[in-house]
Amino acid sequence: MPASVATAVEAAPPASPAAAPSRRWVWLAAWPVVAVLALSNEPAPLYVLWQRDLGFSSATLTLIYAFYIAGLLGTLTVAGTLSDRFGRRPVLVPGLALGIVAGALFATAHSVPALSLARLLSGIAVGAFLSAGLAAVTDVADRTDKRFAGLVASSSMVGGAAVGPLLAGVLSETLPGPSVTVFAVQIALLLAALPVVLRMPLPERGREPRAAAGGRWIRIPNAPRPHRRQLLLGLAVFAPAIAATGFVLSLGPTLLADLLHTSSRILSGATIFGLFAAATGVQFAARRLRTRTDLLAGAALTVTGMAALALAVATTSVAALLASAVLAGLGQGLTQLGALTMLSANVPTSRLAEANAALTAGGYLLAGLLPVAAGTLSDATTLTTGTVVFALAITTLVTTGAITVLRRP
């Protein structure tokens, strides 16, 4: 996330003199983000297993996913502000701890309430790292290397989201005790991230005056008033794009199992891996493009992905479903890169974590509501009807957002 405005960079508190910023620390700071974001999507391939054993419906499945969104959004109302005021570490360490607790709950869950609680805690952990973690990656970079740091921060988010479901799919199919094995490995990854969080050369923010920190601690996250237009433009295309990927995460395995007649957890995990791997790769491929190009191209890819999703359910085609997942990932990757770039290029670092939290909260709010609505509609009608209506809704929203971006300078 570049910071091309010199005054915004100069407003940041001085970094600790003990360790000079370097690209090595940028990569290291991204590792905890990858580890925690892996937890965000790791349960997805196991939903079919839990659904079979516990006997819950598609609506209940999307409701469990909504607990994750609730934990995430609730955390974003406070984590960005606390991080900007007191520093990244006081937010990141508790986030890691809650991620470990969530992993333990997933490993031993035998009821819907247990799964819901685990999903809630994982949402809190992810919320901490989507605000403070992404900002920390930028913090440890040299002020002349912010664009590289932004690319690493954004790709670490989607890269972790890609690794988790693939790991879960492979381990659950090839080793005994599917959920126990998967989340024991995940807990080990989180523990390995702790020393990095503790040693990162981060700015000390505890002595910042209250006014600089932005007032109340708990509030709806936002960008500073002069930069809210950039936030809204980013959300106009990023929110529908991430809602599209949210559908794949929550109902994709059910589509594979019930509609396309395959229950392979490896295929389910590989589908989600392909989605987020595409989102990661496209960000590196598009690193030299203009921000507007990122947003418009991402919107176009999201629309194409929704067309492929509708085709998949109409023709019961696994290939079309996989294509829709990859296209949705490409759309999220480009819109996310464009939106984060706009914010970090303009927002002072003293408010950057909060602005990142605002972008993420807006995106995940839609990503929570629409898949739940689609799951409820699918139970009331058919899975095909719910999927097609969802695809049409996303197409309408992202097209409207793209037109808005196109009309703005």
Side-chain angles (χ1 to χ4, degrees):
M1 291 175 283
S4 57
V5 182
T7 55
V9 177
E10 289 167 2
S16 171
S22 69
R23 284 199 168 189
R24 172 177 170 271
W25 266 112
V26 172
W27 287 110
L28 284 173
W31 158 242
V33 179
V34 172
V36 172
L37 265 293
L39 178 64
S40 68
N41 294 330
E42 219 158 30
L46 300 172
Y47 280 146
V48 174
L49 194 63
W50 285 319
Q51 199 169 17
R52 182 197 68 196
D53 293 343
L54 301 178
F56 53 81
S57 66
S58 295
T60 300
L61 191 155
T62 53
L63 186 61
I64 293 171
Y65 180 71
F67 270 92
Y68 165 72
I69 300 297
L72 175 63
L73 294 178
T75 304
L76 291 175
T77 63
V78 65
T81 305
L82 292 177
S83 171
D84 284 337
R85 178 172 297 186
F86 296 111
R88 313 306 183 200
R89 226 179 322 264
V91 175
L92 297 179
V93 173
L96 273 178
L98 288 177
I100 291 169
V101 174
L105 285 172
F106 277 126
T108 58
H110 296 293
S111 67
V112 170
L115 287 175
S116 300
L117 178 58
R119 215 58 178 113
L120 177 71
L121 294 180
S122 66
I124 296 173
V126 170
F129 277 79
L130 286 181
S131 52
L134 296 182
V137 176
T138 303
D139 284 347
V140 300
D142 184 84
R143 67 178 58 193
T144 62
D145 212 15
K146 294 295 183 181
R147 184 170 182 84
F148 170 76
L151 177 62
V152 172
S154 185
S155 60
S156 68
M157 172 183 170
V158 288
V163 169
L166 181 63
L167 185 69
V170 172
L171 292 179
S172 68
E173 286 276 10
T174 58
L175 295 176
S179 59
V180 175
T181 303
V182 167
F183 291 103
V185 171
Q186 175 60 40
I187 289 170
L189 294 177
L190 295 174
L191 289 172
L194 181 59
V196 177
V197 171
L198 294 176
R199 296 187 60 188
M200 279 191 286
L202 294 168
E204 296 294 336
R205 299 176 186 267
R207 297 183 181 86
E208 283 191 85
R210 182 179 179 85
R216 292 172 297 169
W217 292 7
I218 301 175
R219 60 184 180 192
I220 297 175
N222 208 338
R225 189 177 298 275
H227 309 297
R228 287 176 188 171
R229 184 175 68 89
Q230 288 98 332
L231 173 62
L232 293 175
L233 284 176
L235 275 173
V237 288
F238 171 65
I242 200 170
T245 61
F247 179 88
V248 177
L249 293 174
S250 58
L251 285 179
T254 301
L255 273 174
L256 285 169
D258 294 350
L259 187 63
L260 305 180
H261 311 297
T262 175
S263 58
S264 169
R265 293 190 294 277
I266 293 179
L267 179 59
S268 175
T271 300
I272 299 170
F273 173 81
L275 185 159
F276 286 105
T280 304
V282 76
Q283 293 188 29
F284 283 94
R287 64 187 182 275
R288 301 186 190 280
L289 296 180
R290 296 175 60 194
T291 299
R292 176 181 287 192
T293 304
D294 290 337
L295 295 173
L296 294 177
L301 287 164
T302 300
V303 170
T304 308
M306 292 301 95
L309 180 63
L311 178 65
V313 298
T315 62
T316 62
S317 168
V318 174
L321 182 62
L322 296 179
S324 72
V326 171
L327 288 166
L330 292 171
Q332 181 191 326
L334 282 177
T335 57
Q336 176 183 305
L337 178 62
L340 287 174
T341 297
M342 277 200 300
L343 292 179
S344 58
N346 295 280
V347 177
T349 55
S350 61
R351 294 286 302 277
L352 183 57
E354 185 186 353
N356 287 343
L359 178 73
T360 306
Y364 274 99
L365 179 62
L366 194 65
L369 292 175
L370 286 186
V372 169
T376 303
L377 181 60
S378 296
D379 282 344
T381 56
T382 65
L383 190 57
T384 299
T385 300
T387 302
V388 171
V389 170
F390 174 84
L392 289 174
I394 291 295
T395 298
T396 301
L397 289 171
V398 80
T399 301
T400 303
I403 293 171
T404 304
V405 170
L406 195 59
R407 290 179 174 178
R408 294 295 186 273

